[in-house]
């Protein structure tokens, strides 16, 4: 039976590749979100409306065509979805396991007749990617972080190209990768387009910056960054680290003229605070040896700090102190800033990363090592937290 399945998989894959002369027109992606021990979500954008799916198989160091794999579709209330924006959740996986996947689809030729939709030839969209599920029991965690790229694709690409692919578990985008999002395409193009060769093979965790709240299609951002809460505040776990991702929203008061009567972040942050107070008590967070908070706007206060920074320090910091947070990683200021425990009412160190550096973080129980590299790959600073 196993041999038959392998033959069927081989024939299916071969037909998909050879049907037609052009590959499936994948404009952006794939990128992988919401990775857990037993699932992940693959997203991509096609140039034409299509019925697309993901083929997945456990990596056993064999050729794709010799691998047993299965097919996953995006469905809504029992029906498969056609369109140009695609999001497929793959479930039922094993922890700490590498899976191979690829995008396949067929363009919609005519869907004017709801009883007889016609399609073009089945085509594969690009190559085969690999993704590893998380492992809550792993002895260490390694991740890379960038922030505040503001449409500078060349800098973004240069910083990420120096990432150690063999050692990295995940990538953190800590806000303001774009300056606004008048079109969803803008966000996706500048977030995943420049590092397409990286984002398809690593879990990418997004922290919303204040600039990503701006633009006429800001409300479409959650489609590109699905989380386990449906919000831009959420938690995830890798090895000894429980990550608490928070969203500061905009950096000025809701009634600031710049927001054109559209801001309601005070209420949003208050709901988030209530969630934070509860989630830090869950076993995933409370029992973790190391706890790291990711938030774009840091909890600094002072005579020149803006509204939201003060709000975060006054409201989020006490809850994070109570939870025993070991480190807060932020951006926003476009320069490196370190705040020692106790400097702003915080019992944990706060590090704001520069917008010209990539931060690589290595974590084991009882020790956090932070290194920053410039776009040429030169080590510019290091920090050890015990």
């Amino acid at each position: 039976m196993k041999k038959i399945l392998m033959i069927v998989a081989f024939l299916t894959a071969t037909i998909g590749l050879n049907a037609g002369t052009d590959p499936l027109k994948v404009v952006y992606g794939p990128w992988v979100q919401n990775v857990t021990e037993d699932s992940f979500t693959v997203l991509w954008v096609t140039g034409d409306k299509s019925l697309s799916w993901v083929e997945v198989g456990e990596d056993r160091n064999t050729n794709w065509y010799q691998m047993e794999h299965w097919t996953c579709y995006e469905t809504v209330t029992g029906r498969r979805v056609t369109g140009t924006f695609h999001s497929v959740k793959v479930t039922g996986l094993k922890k700490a396991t590498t899976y191979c996947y690829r995008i396949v689809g067929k363009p919609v030729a005519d869907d004017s007749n709801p009883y007889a939709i016609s399609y073009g030839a089945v085509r594969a969209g690009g190559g085969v990617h690999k993704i590893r599920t998380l492992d809550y029991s792993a002895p260490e965690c390694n991740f890379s972080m960038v922030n505040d790229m503001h449409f500078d694709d060349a800098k973004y690409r240069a910083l990420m190209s120096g990432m150690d692919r063999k050692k990295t578990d995940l990538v953190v985008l800590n806000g303001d990768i774009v300056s606004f999002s008048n079109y969803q395409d803008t966000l996706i193009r500048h977030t995943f387009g420049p590092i397409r060769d990286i984002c398809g093979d690593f879990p990418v965790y997004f922290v919303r910056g204040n600039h990503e709240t701006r633009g006429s299609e800001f409300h479409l951002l959650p489609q590109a960054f699905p989380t386990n809460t449906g919000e831009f505040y959420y938690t995830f776990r890798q090895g000894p680290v429980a990550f608490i991702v928070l969203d500061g929203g905009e950096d000025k008061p809701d009634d600031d003229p710049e927001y054109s009567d559209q801001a309601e972040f005070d209420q949003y942050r208050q709901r988030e605070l209530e969630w934070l107070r509860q989630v830090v008590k869950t076993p995933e967070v409370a029992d973790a040896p190391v706890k790291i908070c990711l938030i774009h706007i840091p909890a600094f206060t002072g005579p020149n700090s803006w509204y939201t920074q003060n709000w975060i320090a006054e409201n989020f910091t006490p809850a994070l102190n109570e939870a025993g947070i070991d480190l807060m990683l932020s951006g926003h200021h476009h320069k490196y800033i370190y705040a020692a425990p106790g400097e702003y009412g915080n019992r944990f160190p706060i590090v704001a990363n520069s917008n010209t550096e990539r931060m690589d973080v290595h974590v084991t129980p009882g020790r956090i090592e932070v290194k920053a590299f410039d776009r040429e790959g030169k080590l510019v600073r290091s920090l050890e937290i015990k």
Side-chain angles (χ1 to χ4, degrees):
M1 181 65 182
K2 183 176 181 181
K3 185 175 182 180
I4 294 174
L5 287 172
M6 291 177 67
I7 292 173
V8 170
F10 171 79
L11 291 174
T12 302
T14 303
I15 291 170
L17 281 174
N18 294 335
T21 58
D22 298 321
L24 187 69
K25 295 179 180 178
V26 178
V27 180
Y28 304 118
W31 64 95
V32 184
Q33 294 281 280
N34 202 14
V35 181
T36 68
E37 285 192 322
D38 60 5
S39 66
F40 58 81
T41 300
V42 183
L43 302 100
W44 69 100
V45 177
T46 52
D48 301 316
K49 188 176 183 180
S50 67
L51 176 64
S52 295
W53 57 91
V54 175
E55 294 179 348
V56 186
E58 186 176 336
D59 182 22
R60 299 183 183 275
N61 294 316
T62 60
N63 186 284
W64 171 261
Y65 303 113
Q66 298 174 326
M67 184 187 305
E68 292 183 53
H69 49 265
W70 66 96
T71 300
C72 301
Y73 289 86
E74 178 183 11
T75 62
V76 174
T77 61
R79 179 171 172 174
R80 295 171 182 171
V81 178
T82 60
T84 57
F85 185 94
H86 307 277
S87 177
V88 175
K89 186 171 184 178
V90 181
T91 60
L93 307 177
K94 296 184 291 187
K95 72 174 186 177
T97 302
T98 300
Y99 290 89
C100 296
Y101 73 92
R102 73 169 188 171
I103 296 165
V104 184
K106 49 186 179 181
V108 175
D110 184 2
D111 60 358
S112 59
N113 184 346
Y115 296 98
I117 299 174
S118 60
Y119 301 97
V122 174
R123 307 178 192 277
V128 176
H129 296 271
K130 294 184 179 183
I131 192 75
R132 186 174 177 83
T133 51
L134 301 186
D135 181 5
Y136 303 167
S137 61
E140 62 182 14
C141 175
N142 294 278
F143 64 95
S144 292
M145 186 185 91
V146 294
N147 48 273
D148 298 281
M149 295 296 100
H150 290 285
F151 295 133
D152 192 337
D153 294 350
K155 178 176 66 176
Y156 182 25
R157 191 179 301 109
L159 289 173
M160 294 306 297
S161 64
M163 186 181 75
D164 189 334
R165 292 170 176 258
K166 293 183 179 180
K167 293 182 179 180
T168 304
D169 295 318
L170 56 99
V171 172
V172 172
L173 305 180
N174 205 333
D176 286 4
I177 305 302
V178 299
S179 296
F180 54 84
S181 185
N182 275 347
Y183 304 97
Q184 186 184 44
D185 175 80
T186 303
L187 173 78
I188 297 172
R189 180 170 72 253
H190 291 285
T191 302
F192 298 112
I195 59 167
R196 179 173 179 173
D197 59 331
I198 293 174
C199 65
D201 294 334
F202 288 94
V204 178
Y205 294 89
F206 178 72
V207 184
R208 186 171 73 160
N210 58 298
H211 277 269
E212 276 117 0
T213 69
R214 303 173 186 179
S216 58
E217 291 197 352
F218 78 95
H219 59 289
L220 298 179
L221 266 65
Q223 291 182 342
F225 304 102
T227 70
N228 55 17
T229 63
E231 303 282 357
F232 284 126
Y233 48 88
Y234 59 99
T235 63
F236 65 97
R237 173 82 181 264
Q238 171 59 14
V241 186
F243 292 89
I244 301 173
V245 181
L246 296 179
D247 179 12
E250 268 292 5
D251 55 3
K252 293 177 279 293
D254 285 350
D255 60 0
D256 190 282
E258 186 173 303
Y259 305 146
S260 305
D261 294 326
Q262 292 186 326
E264 203 169 279
F265 290 102
D266 281 337
Q267 293 186 35
Y268 172 77
R269 282 187 294 262
Q270 190 61 44
R271 293 194 301 271
E272 183 179 2
L273 176 60
E274 296 306 315
W275 168 87
L276 174 62
R277 288 169 173 164
Q278 297 304 313
V279 80
V280 295
K281 299 176 184 178
T282 62
E284 179 187 20
V285 177
D287 297 342
V290 182
K291 304 174 183 66
I292 295 178
C293 175
L294 304 172
I295 183 170
H296 178 71
I297 300 175
F300 300 149
T301 59
N304 297 319
S305 59
W306 287 8
Y307 175 81
T308 297
Q309 284 190 203
N310 293 327
W311 193 100
I312 289 170
E314 293 170 7
N315 294 275
F316 285 164
T317 295
L320 295 173
N321 284 339
E322 185 69 21
I325 295 299
D326 296 286
L327 173 66
M328 173 183 283
L329 292 176
S330 302
H332 190 59
H333 287 274
H334 294 202
K335 62 181 180 180
Y336 175 81
I337 304 174
Y338 174 78
E343 192 169 347
Y344 298 102
N346 50 301
R347 298 177 191 168
F348 47 86
I350 304 173
V351 177
N353 187 41
S354 166
N355 67 328
T356 60
E357 297 167 7
R358 183 191 76 254
M359 188 172 286
D360 291 349
V361 184
H362 174 65
V363 186
T364 56
R367 182 173 180 270
I368 303 174
E369 183 181 22
V370 181
K371 294 183 178 180
F373 299 85
D374 63 17
R375 61 192 301 168
E376 283 75 39
K378 179 182 177 182
L379 176 65
V380 294
R381 65 176 55 86
S382 61
L383 173 68
E384 188 176 30
I385 301 168
K386 293 183 178 181

